[in-house]
Amino acid sequence: MTTDARGFLTCSGWIKNLQTSILVFDIIQYFLLLNHQLIPLILDKVEFHPKVSLFFSNYLMGRKIHYLWNNFISSSFNVDVGVDQGSALSSILFALFISPIFHIFEKRVKNLEILISFLLFVDDDLFIFQEKSLDKTNTNLFVATTLSSSY
């Protein structure tokens, strides 16, 4: 996450006479956690074309890994979670995987009348709160953080 993005968000709040609180967080080991079986379900739920769902299912099927340590090479293991961190599709898979979680989270905080914005940079993310009072942004930040811990 760049300092430029945080600075821009803070300055844009000042222009509107708003105080800004930002929570920057990192989803640890995200690339290792992505469940391959969830992607087709998510794509079907949001009504992507079946060919898109099939493409990602095929991309994630039959993946294998082996470990190399010094001169030892293990036999291959089937892998049904995770994606290659350097893959061209990693960011797309992240967005597909994480979007429903943030959608539900956003609904919950809006039901509490908390104004929130999100910026997602693969596994480095931001919650942004802007209000007239710094106390209000910090209270919203605390409530959202408490709520998000249930995920």
Side-chain angles (χ1 to χ4, degrees):
M1 166 39 107
T2 66
T3 305
D4 295 340
R6 292 188 303 253
F8 173 77
L9 292 166
T10 302
C11 291
S12 69
W14 291 343
I15 291 168
K16 301 173 189 171
N17 291 322
L18 298 175
Q19 299 295 316
T20 302
S21 290
I22 299 173
L23 174 65
V24 180
F25 61 99
D26 180 75
I27 301 174
I28 298 172
Q29 299 294 320
Y30 156 73
F31 291 98
L32 300 176
L33 299 175
L34 192 136
N35 184 323
H36 296 177
Q37 296 173 358
L38 286 179
I39 294 297
L41 297 174
I42 292 167
L43 293 172
D44 291 344
K45 179 73 174 171
V46 294
E47 300 179 357
F48 271 73
H49 193 282
K51 286 184 179 180
V52 174
S53 182
L54 183 62
F55 169 80
F56 281 106
S57 294
N58 287 337
Y59 174 76
L60 294 169
M61 274 179 41
R63 297 177 73 83
K64 295 188 179 284
I65 191 170
H66 65 270
Y67 297 95
L68 171 66
W69 186 32
N70 292 329
N71 293 327
F72 172 76
I73 299 176
S74 72
S75 57
S76 292
F77 296 94
N78 292 329
V79 179
D80 59 357
V81 295
V83 294
D84 302 331
Q85 189 162 351
S87 166
L89 295 177
S90 300
S91 297
I92 294 167
L93 288 167
F94 166 77
L96 293 171
F97 185 72
I98 204 78
S99 292
I101 295 168
F102 278 101
H103 178 73
I104 292 166
F105 180 75
E106 184 178 35
K107 278 184 163 181
R108 288 188 176 179
V109 296
K110 290 210 175 181
N111 285 341
L112 298 172
E113 297 182 6
I114 295 174
L115 299 175
I116 187 171
S117 299
F118 303 112
L119 282 179
L120 308 175
F121 300 92
V122 186
D123 60 342
D124 298 314
D125 307 305
L126 296 171
F127 289 164
I128 304 134
F129 304 90
Q130 291 185 319
E131 295 278 352
K132 293 284 184 189
S133 147
L134 191 57
D135 287 340
K136 180 72 173 162
T137 65
N138 288 336
T139 299
N140 290 347
L141 181 63
F142 175 77
V143 170
T145 304
T146 303
L147 183 62
S148 70
S149 68
S150 66
Y151 296 99

